[in-house]
Amino acid sequence: MDGTPSDRAPSDGTPTDDRPEPTRRRRRPGPFTLLALPGLTVVLGFAGFMAATGRLSSAWPEESDPHTTAAGAPSTDRVDASYVPWLREAARTCTLLKPSVLAAQIDRTSGWNTDPATLSGSVGIAGFTESQWRTWGKDADGNGRSSPRDPVDAIMALARQDCALAEDVTRLRTRGTVSGELLDLTLAAYTVGTDSVTRAGRVPAAARTYLAEVGKLSARYRSFDREEKADPGGGASGILAPPVTTLVVSSPFGTREHPLTGVTKLHTGVDFAAPRDAPVSAARQGRVVFAGMTKAYGNRVVIDHGTLGGRRLETTYSHMSSLLVTAGQSVQTGAAVGFVGSTGLSTGPHLHFEVLVDGTYTDPMPWLAAH
């Protein structure tokens, strides 16, 4: 240091200026501090307590479901109203489909975004790739161009694809290669492929999440469905002739434990006890769509009776010892189709008889005429 006076105090703490520092006056609390602050503290504390105990709604409401209206009902606002008639038209492509199912698939695929960006190369609301579009795409609305980016074209193409898959899995189920509800199997084939369904013999585990999501979403679009027709089981009671002479039920329709596999699942038909080689006859006129040996059902015949009340009706006859008909053959009510046996997974001679309405198993008994 050069000895120049410094602004800093000497090391011994003695001030460099003998004048005393001016005294600062302390500010007294203002009216706001004295009057408003205690009240505000009480209000905030009370509000916090009420909110914590659930007695006061939060000032920041939780994010609402964009698919739900203020009244709590499912919202379909994201769907252009002009699409709804096309969803209904598309659902007429095959009896399996409903507008709500198609809408759910689209919601699951794109959220109704007409131009979603995907790494797989799929475009449009139904997510078709270029190769898929060559198979399923058409100019459905007649505007002169066929494009997966055109919502109407995409809706109709999705229905064509679903119905083709339904035919594939129907053949597999008819042969006893796969088992399960037709819609479930169809949606599984859509998301993981028919080969995966075939290998699994049922809905593969990899498809279950997709089925659950589509099922949940379809509930939002039930208003799109046409008015359901009355259950043909009620209006068409007794329209089927008994397939065996005496209707002695040894195992009814419904959930049961399989006597051989031990698996508890839906027993998809009714077992009628009958002596070996007793004749089995067609319950109604129709066309044989399958006749042959299967692993589970043994010798099996499936007859398509066409549509009744707008719904497709089929009957099946299984575990027969031998067959009298072939696929493609037309049969009349009461015509012999085979003989009672115990082929396939069976514990003894009986006829396993099924009734399917639009591909769904239903209790055969209300359909059968009194005997």
Side-chain angles (χ1 to χ4, degrees), residues 5-32:
S6 172
D7 293 332
R8 291 176 297 173
S11 58
D12 62 1
T14 304
T16 57
D17 191 343
D18 294 333
R19 292 175 298 175
E21 293 185 6
T23 303
R24 294 182 180 179
R25 297 179 59 189
R26 295 182 61 187
R27 295 181 60 185
R28 295 181 180 179
F32 177 83

Side-chain angles (χ1 to χ4, degrees), residues 148-172:
R149 298 182 189 276
D150 182 325
V152 172
D153 291 353
I155 289 169
M156 297 302 293
L158 176 61
R160 283 191 290 273
Q161 183 182 23
D162 281 351
C163 290
L165 292 170
E167 289 182 5
D168 291 342
V169 297
T170 295
R171 284 192 289 269
L172 293 171

Side-chain angles (χ1 to χ4, degrees), residues 184-199:
D184 290 348
L185 293 167
T186 300
L187 292 175
Y190 172 85
T191 189
V192 299
T194 306
D195 288 346
S196 295
V197 174
T198 303
R199 286 192 296 270

Side-chain angles (χ1 to χ4, degrees), residues 56-300:
L56 184 67
S57 298
S58 171
W60 301 95
E62 295 181 4
E63 183 179 1
S64 59
D65 184 347
H67 298 281
T68 305
T69 65
S75 169
T76 57
D77 290 344
R78 289 196 300 170
V79 184
D80 190 308
S82 65
Y83 299 166
V84 178
W86 286 103
L87 287 166
R88 290 173 176 159
E89 178 65 25
R92 297 187 185 101
T93 304
C94 60
T95 55
L96 173 75
L97 289 181
K98 289 185 177 181
S100 58
V101 173
L102 290 170
Q105 286 183 276
I106 292 171
D107 194 334
R108 169 64 172 72
T109 298
S110 68
W112 296 97
N113 181 357
T114 57
D115 190 21
T118 64
L119 297 176
S120 65
S122 60
V123 298
I125 59 174
F128 280 101
T129 63
E130 185 177 345
S131 61
Q132 289 173 330
W133 192 252
R134 284 196 293 269
T135 301
W136 308 112
K138 291 182 180 180
D139 177 17
D141 52 8
N143 64 0
R145 64 186 182 89
S146 168
S147 171
R149 298 182 189 276
D150 182 325
V152 172
D153 291 353
I155 289 169
M156 297 302 293
L158 176 61
R160 283 191 290 273
Q161 183 182 23
D162 281 351
C163 290
L165 292 170
E167 289 182 5
D168 291 342
V169 297
T170 295
R171 284 192 289 269
L172 293 171
R173 194 174 71 167
T174 296
R175 294 182 174 92
T177 305
V178 301
S179 62
E181 290 296 326
L182 184 56
L183 179 58
D184 290 348
L185 293 167
T186 300
L187 292 175
Y190 172 85
T191 189
V192 299
T194 306
D195 288 346
S196 295
V197 174
T198 303
R199 286 192 296 270
R202 58 180 62 84
V203 172
R208 290 173 190 161
T209 298
Y210 179 80
L211 265 64
E213 291 174 351
V214 169
K216 183 176 180 181
L217 288 169
S218 66
R220 296 173 175 169
Y221 299 105
R222 291 283 164 76
S223 61
F224 294 170
D225 293 345
R226 289 170 291 173
E227 182 177 349
E228 290 293 336
K229 299 178 178 63
D231 182 5
S237 176
I239 68 168
L240 297 180
V244 288
T245 303
T246 304
L247 298 181
V248 178
V249 177
S250 58
S251 184
F253 176 87
T255 302
R256 70 164 190 180
E257 181 180 303
H258 194 283
L260 292 178
T261 65
V263 175
T264 298
K265 64 177 184 177
L266 176 67
H267 184 224
T268 53
V270 171
D271 289 347
F272 293 121
R276 187 183 298 275
D277 293 329
V280 175
S281 58
R284 187 178 175 86
Q285 68 182 28
R287 183 173 65 89
V288 177
V289 293
F290 178 81
M293 175 63 75
T294 69
K295 182 177 180 180
Y297 293 112
N299 281 316
R300 177 174 170 87

